[in-house]
C-alpha cells in the first residue's frame, strides 16, 4: 500500500540546462543564468530561461537529485511538473482496487468463508506484487496496481482481520485486534528499510512483492472461522475446530458433539445476508453511515501524513521509518487504554486531537522541527484511532454481515485513500490546504463517533436482529464516559466469575 513512497519517489529535480554534460543536480555551473527563481527563493523545477528573449519556457528534460534515490518509476517516467498527476493516479488506482475488492470480495468472504478468500488472494498478491515490477509502461503499471489492490488489502487483510476477531473471546479481542495492526506498522518500517538498502526500483518492488510468501502457509495452517461456520449452519465443522482448540490449549473440557451438531444455528431459517442488509433497518443504517465516515476520516489523515513525508526535511527513509515506528508505542498504549476507557472514547478523542495536530502543523513552517513533531504526534494519535476502528467495526456488526461491514468500511477508507494523493496536489494552490481538509473531516467524524454504542466486553451480535438491537440508547451523551465503562467492566467481571469457578 505504501510501496510507491519509495518505488515511485520524486526526488528534488531541476530542468536540464541545454548543452549540459553529465547530469549532476548540484554541480552545474551558472544555474541561476538558466533557471528562474520562484518568489519563495527556490529554483523553478519546471522552467528554463530563454537567453535571447529573457523569458521562461517549460522544459522537457530533468536532472534529479540522487542523494537518496538512484532509481524510481517517477524518475524513469518523469512524474514531475505537469505530469505530477501521474504519480498521484498510480497511488489512487491501488486504492480504487481496494475499493473494488471490498465490494466484491467482502461479500464473497461472508458467502464462501474467510479462509478461501484470504488464501487465494494471498497467492494472487504474490504474483501481482512481483509482476508489477516488470510493467513495461505507465498504463500497464497502473492496471496491475489496480488488480494488486483488489487482492492485497480487501482480499487478504480484511478477511484476515475478521477471522482473527472471530477466533477469540471478548477478553482477547483488544490484544489480538491491535496486534494485527501493529504488524502493519512493522511492514511500514520494512518499506523504509528495504528502500534504504536497495536502490534499484525493479529489485525493490520484487522484494516487496515476495513478502506475500509468508502468507502461503495459511493454506495448511489456517482454520475457517467457527463463528462463520456456525452462523451458516455448518455446525459439525464449527464444533470440530473448537475441539481442536481445546486440545491445542490443553483444556480438559468435553463437548456434547451430537447435541451441538443437531442444534439450529442462530441464523437458521435460510437467511441470506449481504452488504445491503446494513442499510435496511434504522439503527444499523445509522451505525453503518457513522462508522463509514470514521473509516474515511482515519484513512484520509493516516495516508495524508504517511504519503506526504516528502515535505519533511531530512533523510526520507529515516522519516518514513520513524513514521512507522511511532505507531508501535501508540498500539501498546491503545491495548491497555481501550479495555479501560472503551472503543468509543479512544476513537473519538484521538481523531479530534489528531485533527488539531494537522491544523497546528499546517500553520507552522513546513519542514521545521516543531511542525515535524506535530506531524509525528498526529500520526501517533491517528494510528491509534484507525486501529481501534477495525476492532470497533468488527464488534458492532453481526457475524452474518461482519465481513461485508468491514469491507464497506474498507471501501470508504480506500475512497479517501484514493483521494489523498490528489488532495495533496492542492498544495500547489496553498501549502496549508491539504492538512486543513484532513483536519476538518477528522474533527467532524470524531464528534459523530460519540453517538455510537460502546462495545467493550459485549458479546458480538450474530444475526441482523441482534445487530439492530445492539446498544440501544447507548451514546456518549447518555453515559458518563469513564464511569459507565468501569461499570460495564465490573458487570462483565461479575458475570464471568461463576465461569472461572
Amino acid at each position: 500500500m505504501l510501496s510507491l513512497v519509495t518505488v515511485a519517489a520524486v526526488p528534488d529535480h531541476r530542468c536540464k540546462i541545454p548543452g549540459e554534460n553529465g547530469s549532476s543536480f548540484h554541480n552545474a555551473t551558472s544555474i541561476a543564468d538558466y533557471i528562474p527563481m520562484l518568489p519563495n527563493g527556490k529554483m523553478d523545477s519546471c522552467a528554463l530561461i530563454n537567453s535571447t528573449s529573457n523569458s521562461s519556457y517549460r522544459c522537457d528534460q530533468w536532472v534529479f537529485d540522487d542523494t537518496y534515490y538512484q532509481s524510481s518509476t517517477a524518475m524513469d517516467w518523469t512524474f514531475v511538473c505537469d505530469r505530477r498527476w501521474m504519480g498521484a493516479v498510480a497511488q489512487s488506482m491501488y486504492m480504487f482496487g481496494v475499493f473494488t475488492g471490498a465490494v466484491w470480495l467482502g461479500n464473497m468472504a461472508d458467502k464462501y468463508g474467510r479462509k478461501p478468500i484470504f488464501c487465494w488472494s494471498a497467492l494472487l498478491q504474490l504474483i501481482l506484487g512481483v509482476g508489477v515490477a516488470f510493467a513495461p509502461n505507465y498504463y500497464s503499471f497502473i492496471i496491475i496496481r489496480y488488480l494488486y489492490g483488489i487482492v492485497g488489502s480487501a482480499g487478504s487483510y480484511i478477511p484476515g482481520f475478521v477471522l482473527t476477531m472471530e477466533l477469540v473471546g471478548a477478553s482477547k479481542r483488544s490484544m489480538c485486534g491491535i496486534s494485527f495492526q501493529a504488524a502493519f506498522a512493522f511492514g511500514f518500517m520494512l518499506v523504509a528499510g528495504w528502500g534504504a538498502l536497495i536502490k534499484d526500483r525493479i529489485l525493490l518492488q520484487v522484494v516487496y512483492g515476495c513478502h506475500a510468501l509468508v502468507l502461503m502457509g495459511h493454506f495448511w495452517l489456517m482454520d475457517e472461522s467457527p463463528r462463520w461456520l456456525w452462523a451458516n449452519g455448518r455446525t459439525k465443522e464449527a464444533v470440530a475446530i473448537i475441539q481442536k482448540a481445546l486440545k491445542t490449549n490443553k483444556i480438559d473440557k468435553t463437548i456434547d458433539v451430537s447435541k451441538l451438531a443437531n442444534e439450529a444455528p442462530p441464523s437458521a431459517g435460510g437467511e441470506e445476508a449481504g452488504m445491503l442488509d446494513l442499510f435496511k433497518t434504522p439503527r444499523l443504517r445509522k451505525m453503518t453511515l457513522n462508522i463509514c465516515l470514521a473509516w474515511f476520516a482515519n484513512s484520509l489523515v493516516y495516508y495524508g501524513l504517511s504519503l506526504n513525508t516528502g515535505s519533511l526535511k531530512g533523510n526520507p527513509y529515516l522519516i518514513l521509518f520513524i513514521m512507522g515506528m511511532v505507531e508501535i508505542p501508540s498500539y501498546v498504549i491503545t491495548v491497555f487504554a481501550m479495555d479501560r476507557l472503551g472503543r468509543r472514547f479512544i476513537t473519538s478523542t484521538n481523531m479530534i486531537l489528531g485533527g488539531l495536530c494537522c491544523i497546528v502543523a499546517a500553520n507552522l513552517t513546513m519542514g521545521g522541527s516543531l511542525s515535524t513533531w506535530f506531524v509525528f504526534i498526529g500520526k501517533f494519535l491517528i494510528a491509534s484511532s484507525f486501529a481501534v476502528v477495525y476492532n470497533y467495526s468488527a464488534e458492532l456488526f453481526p457475524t452474518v454481515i461482519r465481513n461485508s461491514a468491514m469491507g464497506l468500511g474498507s471501501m470508504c477508507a480506500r475512497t479517501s485513500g484514493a483521494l489523498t494523493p490528489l488532495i495533496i496536489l492542492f498544495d500547489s494552490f496553498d501549502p496549508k490546504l491539504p492538512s486543513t481538509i484532513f483536519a476538518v473531516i477528522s474533527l467532524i467524524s470524531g464528534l459523530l463517533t460519540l453517538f455510537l454504542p460502546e462495545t467493550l466486553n459485549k458479546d458480538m451480535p450474530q444475526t441482523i436482529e441482534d445487530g439492530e438491537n445492539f446498544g440501544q440508547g447507548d451514546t456518549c451523551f447518555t453515559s458518563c464516559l469513564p464511569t459507565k465503562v468501569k461499570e460495564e467492566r465490573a458487570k462483565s467481571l461479575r458475570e464471568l466469575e461463576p465461569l472461572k469457578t
Side-chain angles (χ1 to χ4, degrees):
M1 192 168 287
L2 293 167
S3 62
L4 288 193
V5 175
T6 54
V7 172
V10 183
D12 288 339
H13 52 279
R14 62 170 175 81
C15 292
K16 187 172 183 178
I17 298 170
E20 180 182 357
N21 294 320
S23 57
S24 174
F25 180 79
H26 298 286
N27 298 329
T29 58
S30 305
I31 289 179
D33 295 336
Y34 295 94
I35 299 179
M37 304 300 288
L38 298 172
N40 60 9
K42 297 181 179 179
M43 290 188 304
D44 190 328
S45 59
C46 303
L48 286 170
I49 298 174
N50 187 318
S51 57
T52 304
S53 62
N54 204 32
S55 60
S56 62
Y57 64 95
R58 308 298 283 184
C59 61
D60 56 8
Q61 289 184 299
W62 288 266
V63 176
F64 293 91
D65 184 355
D66 60 1
T67 303
Y68 298 110
Y69 303 105
Q70 280 79 57
S71 171
S72 79
T73 55
M75 296 166 70
D76 293 345
W77 296 332
T78 58
F79 297 164
V80 296
C81 300
D82 55 357
R83 290 163 60 91
R84 188 182 171 202
W85 61 270
M86 297 174 74
V89 168
Q91 181 65 31
S92 295
M93 284 298 288
Y94 179 90
M95 295 297 187
F96 281 126
V98 179
F99 181 96
T100 305
V103 176
W104 180 38
L105 298 179
N107 277 326
M108 289 181 68
D110 278 334
K111 186 175 182 180
Y112 300 111
R114 296 16 173 162
K115 179 179 177 177
I117 301 303
F118 175 93
C119 291
W120 288 109
S121 293
L123 177 60
L124 292 172
Q125 185 179 344
L126 174 63
I127 295 169
L128 293 170
V130 174
V132 72
F134 303 99
N137 55 57
Y138 175 73
Y139 295 103
S140 60
F141 178 74
I142 61 174
I143 290 171
I144 298 174
R145 287 278 302 176
Y146 172 76
L147 298 174
Y148 196 14
I150 292 177
V151 297
S153 179
S156 293
Y157 198 79
I158 297 298
F161 180 84
V162 170
L163 181 56
T164 300
M165 297 298 286
E166 290 180 343
L167 281 172
V168 298
S171 64
K172 300 294 187 295
R173 289 202 300 258
S174 297
M175 175 64 74
C176 289
I178 300 302
S179 296
F180 201 96
Q181 305 304 320
F184 188 96
F186 282 112
F188 200 128
M189 291 186 281
L190 275 175
V191 170
W194 285 121
L197 292 173
I198 302 172
K199 299 305 180 183
D200 180 78
R201 59 102 172 169
I202 294 178
L203 179 58
L204 179 59
Q205 180 59 55
V206 169
V207 170
Y208 286 155
C210 284
H211 283 79
L213 284 170
V214 302
L215 303 178
M216 293 300 98
H218 290 76
F219 275 99
W220 301 276
L221 298 174
M222 176 185 283
D223 288 311
E224 183 56 88
S225 163
R227 285 181 183 270
W228 180 84
L229 291 168
W230 181 265
N232 284 272
R234 295 164 61 176
T235 52
K236 290 183 179 179
E237 295 171 77
V239 171
I241 292 173
I242 297 301
Q243 286 182 312
K244 178 182 174 181
L246 291 171
K247 182 179 179 181
T248 302
N249 293 334
K250 296 181 174 60
I251 296 176
D252 186 19
K253 185 176 178 64
T254 57
I255 296 178
D256 189 340
V257 180
S258 58
K259 179 181 178 182
L260 287 176
N262 292 322
E263 285 184 0
S267 60
E271 181 181 16
E272 284 285 338
M275 193 174 289
L276 292 178
D277 289 275
L278 291 165
F279 300 95
K280 287 183 178 178
T281 53
R283 290 199 68 254
L284 266 178
R285 182 166 55 247
K286 290 178 184 178
M287 289 193 295
T288 299
L289 293 173
N290 199 333
I291 209 72
C292 281
L293 179 60
W295 279 80
F296 184 94
N298 274 281
S299 175
L300 193 71
V301 179
Y302 183 92
Y303 291 111
L305 294 173
S306 300
L307 297 174
N308 204 24
T309 55
S311 63
L312 303 177
K313 303 301 180 183
N315 186 318
Y317 300 114
L318 179 61
I319 291 171
L320 190 62
F321 185 87
I322 295 173
M323 290 286 273
M325 189 172 65
V326 297
E327 295 186 27
I328 303 301
S330 172
Y331 295 142
V332 172
I333 293 171
T334 300
V335 166
F336 292 100
M338 66 190 293
D339 279 343
R340 289 160 177 78
L341 300 176
R343 282 69 163 131
R344 179 177 59 202
F345 181 73
I346 295 292
T347 304
S348 176
T349 301
N350 286 346
M351 288 178 71
I352 292 171
L353 294 178
L356 292 175
C357 283
C358 281
I359 291 177
V360 173
N363 285 276
L364 295 171
T365 303
M366 184 53 69
S369 59
L370 191 57
S371 172
T372 301
W373 272 108
F374 272 101
V375 169
F376 286 150
I377 294 170
K379 184 68 186 301
F380 178 95
L381 294 167
I382 212 68
S384 172
S385 63
F386 205 178
V388 176
V389 162
Y390 274 84
N391 274 56
Y392 206 0
S393 302
E395 294 171 345
L396 271 177
F397 297 101
T399 299
V400 291
I401 50 172
R402 182 168 297 121
N403 207 96
S404 295
M406 296 292 290
L408 181 61
S410 181
M411 284 166 51
C412 297
R414 303 325 156 199
T415 301
S416 63
L419 293 174
T420 298
L422 305 178
I423 293 173
I424 291 174
L425 296 179
F426 290 167
D427 64 1
S428 301
F429 303 103
D430 184 347
K432 300 177 182 179
L433 188 55
S435 294
T436 303
I437 294 173
F438 301 153
V440 169
I441 295 175
S442 181
L443 290 170
I444 293 172
S445 180
L447 292 171
L448 289 176
T449 301
L450 296 173
F451 291 92
L452 289 170
E454 181 55 64
T455 62
L456 177 63
N457 293 321
K458 304 283 182 64
D459 289 335
M460 291 196 292
Q462 286 285 99
T463 65
I464 299 294
E465 184 180 0
D466 292 341
E468 178 67 11
N469 295 327
F470 185 82
Q472 280 191 338
D474 179 18
T475 70
C476 175
F477 306 101
T478 60
S479 317
C480 179
L481 291 175
T483 304
K484 179 69 175 179
V485 171
K486 288 178 182 177
E487 290 174 355
E488 292 286 351
R489 185 174 176 80
K491 179 182 176 182
S492 176
L493 291 173
R494 287 195 300 270
E495 290 173 351
L496 288 173
E497 194 61 36
L499 297 177
K500 291 179 181 179
T501 56

